Amino acid sequence: MKRNTRMSEEGMEWAFPRIKRLPPYVFAVVNELKYKLRREGEDIVDLGMGNPDLPPDRRIIDKLCEVAQRPNVHGYSASKGIPRLRRAICEFYEKRYGVSLDPDREAIMTIGAKEGYSHLMLALVSPGDTVLVPNPTYPIHYYAPIIAGGQVRSVPLIFEEGNFQENFLRKLYDTVKGSMPSPKAIVVSFPHNPTTVSVDMDFFKELVGFAKDKGIWIIHDFAYADIAFDGYRPPSILEVEGAKDVAVELYSMSKGFSMAGWRLAFVVGNELIIKNLAHLKSYLDYGVFTPIQVAGIIALDGPYETVKRNAEVYEKRRNVLVSGLNSAGWKVENPKATMFVWAKVPSWAGMNSLDFSMFLLKEAKVAVSPGVGFGEYGEGFVRFALVENEKRIRQAVRGIRRALRRLQAAV
């Protein structure tokens, strides 16, 4: 009798220990219902996933198409990024933030910020190392250190507290004091996804001083550097004197330049971190398609007004959504930055964030992201992404107003 040598899935679970540490994706529940309703013919206004709907500047697209016609650009590219692109990001930082960077030692291209951060964690974190991460947070901030074999300790980031900066830093310092051994790194991201919280230069000065004193690395994800409103300009952590001694920053072309699908980002700052990330990436990838890198040079070297116009579009959408929700009786604050609105679930609704997200999807035909998907301290909130035009956002507001009225009448 022939023996069955096929191994059962149950019997081989032990072979995937990192995967077993990753929980089911909360957002999948909402997405499944969204797709079901659309298949049934429902018109869903999707303000869930933060996927930019604005196209890149025409010059960038034209340069991609032009370079892609060349016969010598279709081979493997440079894992670190072609030299001219690394110079372009350094020149951009000099113009935008007054920060001097060496393109050979203090800048590296990554295949999007998500890959850059994840590979950075693989390079930096060993089993037993602890990384401090705000909670709520963008999920990869929390799970990349875990995938790398490390441990994560959450630092509560409470949106509603009075002096946010002071309270968050105090919680961060208390967490470091209570950690044995001392954490390897602190991850921050301001302007923040999902809470939209923003900080000033004093915050980064204090954080850098603390990290130097304790010998802890700082990883700053600067994904929403270019989307700010009402005259606010998000600071780069590298503007702090001496920040490069302990910090690196991830800068992405996805949001401000509307190049999300192009997967083009950078890690800039501390030379030792850049060196070791480059070493790891040399084993893992050959970089981004060369025409995309050349187009990235055009974007970074071009007029910043293009990015400002994108931010103005998001600001107008923010105004429509926030004013609409407030007029519907749902009190929501104006964010200073990001492409999101972070809204507290009305207490009278009597629902958690996932149930309320499902309610909005079914009754208002509007998709949002449940706050609990960003961590336990995101419970009680939902996140709106400003990725539909103003007309569609007004449609969403009308649907939400009707749904809230029916709900209030029922409770």
Side-chain angles (χ1 to χ4, degrees), residues 102-286:
D102 184 316
D104 294 321
R105 298 183 296 111
E106 297 176 326
I108 185 172
M109 181 205 69
T110 62
I111 309 173
K114 198 171 184 180
E115 174 272 319
Y117 173 76
S118 299
H119 283 166
L120 177 55
M121 288 295 112
L122 282 175
L124 184 65
V125 174
S126 299
D129 286 341
T130 299
V131 176
L132 303 188
V133 178
N135 186 333
T137 193
Y138 185 53
I140 196 62
H141 290 162
Y142 189 92
Y143 289 106
I146 289 174
I147 292 170
Q151 305 293 326
V152 175
R153 292 198 65 181
S154 290
V155 182
L157 192 161
I158 308 300
F159 180 68
E160 296 181 300
E161 292 185 351
N163 188 333
F164 156 75
Q165 295 188 174
E166 186 178 298
N167 290 336
F168 177 73
L169 287 171
R170 186 179 66 251
K171 289 170 185 171
L172 181 66
Y173 300 161
D174 289 344
T175 305
V176 171
K177 289 177 185 175
S179 299
M180 288 294 292
S182 183
K184 187 75 169 285
I186 297 167
V187 176
V188 288
S189 181
F190 298 107
H192 186 253
N193 175 18
T195 69
T196 75
V197 162
S198 301
V199 298
D200 57 30
M201 191 62 70
D202 287 341
F203 174 91
F204 281 138
K205 287 178 180 177
E206 187 167 344
L207 182 61
V208 167
F210 177 78
K212 282 187 173 185
D213 182 58
K214 299 296 183 181
I216 303 173
W217 297 110
I218 302 172
I219 316 300
H220 181 227
D221 185 354
F222 206 18
Y224 297 93
D226 302 301
I227 303 179
F229 318 127
D230 307 321
Y232 171 65
R233 193 207 72 148
S236 163
I237 195 172
L238 299 182
E239 292 180 80
V240 176
E241 185 176 355
K244 286 192 289 185
D245 294 340
V246 292
V248 290
E249 187 162 77
L250 290 109
Y251 181 84
S252 171
M253 307 290 288
S254 292
K255 305 306 190 295
F257 287 92
S258 292
M259 297 168 66
W262 299 51
R263 309 317 298 138
L264 193 58
F266 306 89
V267 180
V268 295
N270 181 268
E271 178 181 353
L272 182 62
I273 290 182
I274 301 297
K275 175 184 176 182
N276 283 279
L277 177 59
H279 191 170
L280 177 73
K281 281 174 60 63
S282 69
Y283 282 89
L284 297 175
D285 69 74
Y286 286 109

